[in-house]
């Protein structure tokens, strides 16, 4: 059992068809290329070549300028979503810049859903090999949570009455339809001790049957 592209598309609404986000990432002059793309870039520190510090992003890219045109607003939104939601790394202090150059032509029709699912797979594999007390996992984690809540009756949150979709969509905008994630819009949280939760989850997993697959 694993997350499929169909699952991913229904949860995230990201495109799973189109051009692949692939190719060799050149590190040479990456700061100049980022500056060309977004107009600015943090200064070099030590040998950092794989990401942009989140502290710099928070200071320079957190708030969209007042009166910005539609293209600028979209760029700020995409920057935040891709760097801090879809492709975050496990360090919790930097945003991967490798995919930013694909934003130069957003309408090219890239399969962002496929890329984000592949990135999650790699992040999960990396997480299984971490042993430190402060180890973290990267990737599109909240979407992975939604998939687990849909598929596994273990540690599942309790669904509460949803808020009307009109609070999220605009009148007459037929392109903004709810995804599977909307089913978990309002939930009841449970707070337990980590040791207690771990024992509970492992016991529930051991006791699973083929009939326990409905939310």
């Amino acid at each position: 059992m694993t997350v499929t592209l169909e699952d991913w598309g229904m949860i995230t609404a990201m495109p799973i068809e189109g051009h692949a986000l692939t190719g060799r990432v050149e590190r040479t002059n990456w700061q100049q290329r980022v500056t060309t793309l977004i107009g600015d870039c943090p200064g070099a520190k030590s040998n950092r070549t794989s990401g942009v510090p989140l502290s710099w992003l928070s200071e320079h890219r957190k708030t969209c300028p007042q009166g910005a045109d539609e293209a600028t607003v979209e760029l700020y939104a995409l920057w935040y979503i891709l760097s801090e939601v879809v492709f975050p790394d496990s360090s919790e202090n930097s945003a991967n810049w490798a995919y930013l150059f694909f934003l130069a032509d957003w309408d090219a029709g890239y399969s962002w859903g496929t890329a984000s699912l592949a990135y999650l797979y790699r992040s999960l594999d990396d997480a299984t090999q971490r042993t430190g007390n402060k180890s973290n996992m990267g990737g599109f984690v909240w979407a992975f949570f939604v998939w687990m809540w849909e598929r596994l009756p273990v540690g599942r949150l309790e669904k509460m009455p949803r808020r009307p979709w009109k609070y999220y969509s605009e009148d007459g905008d037929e392109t903004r339809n709810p995804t599977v994630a909307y089913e978990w819009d309002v939930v009841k949280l449970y707070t337990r001790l980590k040791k207690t939760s771990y024992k509970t989850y492992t016991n529930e997993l051991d006791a699973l049957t083929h009939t326990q697959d409905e939310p």
Side-chain angles (χ1 to χ4, degrees), residues 168-180:
Y168 302 96
S169 62
E170 299 179 5
D171 292 338
D173 186 357
E174 297 181 356
T175 63
R176 287 182 54 83
N177 297 316
T179 67
V180 172

Side-chain angles (χ1 to χ4, degrees), residues 184-197:
W184 302 92
D185 176 46
V186 182
V187 296
K188 182 178 180 180
L189 300 178
Y190 297 97
T191 56
R192 301 173 180 173
L193 295 176
K194 291 183 179 179
K195 292 183 178 179
T196 304
S197 297

Side-chain angles (χ1 to χ4, degrees), residues 33-49:
R33 288 184 286 141
V34 169
T35 300
T36 300
L37 180 64
I38 66 173
D40 200 359
C41 188
K45 289 185 178 180
S46 65
N47 63 345
R48 178 190 293 272
T49 58

Side-chain angles (χ1 to χ4, degrees), residues 149-153 156-157 159 183-184 212-215:
W149 296 336
E150 281 288 320
R151 300 297 190 185
L152 297 174
R156 179 182 286 165
L157 304 178
K159 290 182 181 179
E183 291 290 325
W184 302 92
Q212 294 173 263
D213 59 355
E214 294 296 330

Side-chain angles (χ1 to χ4, degrees), residues 154 196-207:
V154 175
T196 304
S197 297
Y198 179 77
K199 292 179 180 179
T200 301
Y201 295 161
T202 54
N203 289 337
E204 289 183 3
L205 281 171
D206 290 340

Side-chain angles (χ1 to χ4, degrees), residues 5-133:
L5 274 177
E6 181 182 30
D7 293 332
W8 209 239
M10 294 180 68
I11 292 172
T12 68
M14 300 184 75
I16 58 176
E17 297 181 351
H19 301 299
L21 274 78
T22 186
R24 183 178 179 82
V25 177
E26 296 292 342
R27 296 183 176 182
T28 305
N29 299 324
W30 73 268
Q31 290 177 301
Q32 290 87 339
R33 288 184 286 141
V34 169
T35 300
T36 300
L37 180 64
I38 66 173
D40 200 359
C41 188
K45 289 185 178 180
S46 65
N47 63 345
R48 178 190 293 272
T49 58
S50 60
V52 175
L54 290 179
S55 57
W56 182 89
L57 278 179
S58 179
E59 180 180 354
H60 295 83
R61 285 291 181 272
K62 186 175 183 179
T63 304
C64 186
Q66 291 289 336
D69 57 27
E70 184 176 351
T72 301
V73 173
E74 288 182 353
L75 184 60
Y76 269 75
L78 288 171
W79 176 282
Y80 174 81
I81 292 173
L82 294 179
S83 64
E84 299 197 36
V85 180
V86 181
F87 297 107
D89 67 7
S90 59
S91 69
E92 293 190 327
N93 61 16
S94 65
N96 195 316
W97 55 266
Y99 57 83
L100 292 180
F101 305 110
F102 292 98
L103 292 179
D105 187 5
W106 177 254
D107 296 324
Y110 290 109
S111 180
W112 290 93
T114 305
S116 64
L117 181 56
Y119 187 81
L120 174 67
Y121 281 147
R122 187 175 68 176
S123 298
L124 288 170
D125 179 66
D126 181 59
T128 62
Q129 302 178 54
R130 294 175 178 267
T131 58
N133 294 331

